[in-house]
Amino acid sequence: PLCGLGQAIETAFKPHNAVVLGYTGGCLNYVPDDAELPRGGYETESYLWGPTTGPFKNGINQRFIDACRMLRQQLHS
C-alpha cells in the first residue's frame, strides 16, 4: 500500500500499534490511497491478471480499514 493508506490503517487502530506490510501473501501490486486515485498517480489501476484486473474504486482507505478490523476481530474471537 502507498504511504497514505498505511497511515490511514495505523491511525484507525490507535492506540494499538499496527504495521502495514506490502508484498506479502503473493500480492504483486501497489494499492493507492484515496488521495492518489483522483490524481491518477502511481498505479491507480490494478495490473493483476484475471478477474481482479481493473481500476480501484473510491473509498479504498475505508475498505482496507474495514477488512483489517474484520481480520482483527476474527483473530481475537
Side-chain angles (χ1 to χ4, degrees):
L2 289 182
C3 181
L5 180 54
Q7 289 174 337
I9 293 168
E10 290 170 0
T11 299
F13 281 89
K14 284 188 177 183
H16 304 288
N17 294 321
V19 177
V20 179
L21 302 173
Y23 294 106
T24 59
C27 293
L28 299 172
N29 67 310
Y30 286 93
V31 179
D33 56 46
D34 286 335
E36 197 61 38
L37 283 172
R39 289 193 292 241
Y42 198 72
E43 295 191 25
T44 58
E45 291 194 17
S46 171
Y47 63 84
L48 295 175
W49 304 275
T52 57
T53 300
F56 290 104
K57 294 182 179 180
N58 291 330
I60 198 162
N61 284 18
Q62 192 60 49
R63 290 171 194 234
F64 265 79
I65 290 166
D66 292 345
C68 290
R69 284 191 173 131
M70 194 171 17
L71 285 171
R72 183 171 179 245
Q73 216 172 32
Q74 289 173 0
L75 291 171
H76 291 99
S77 59

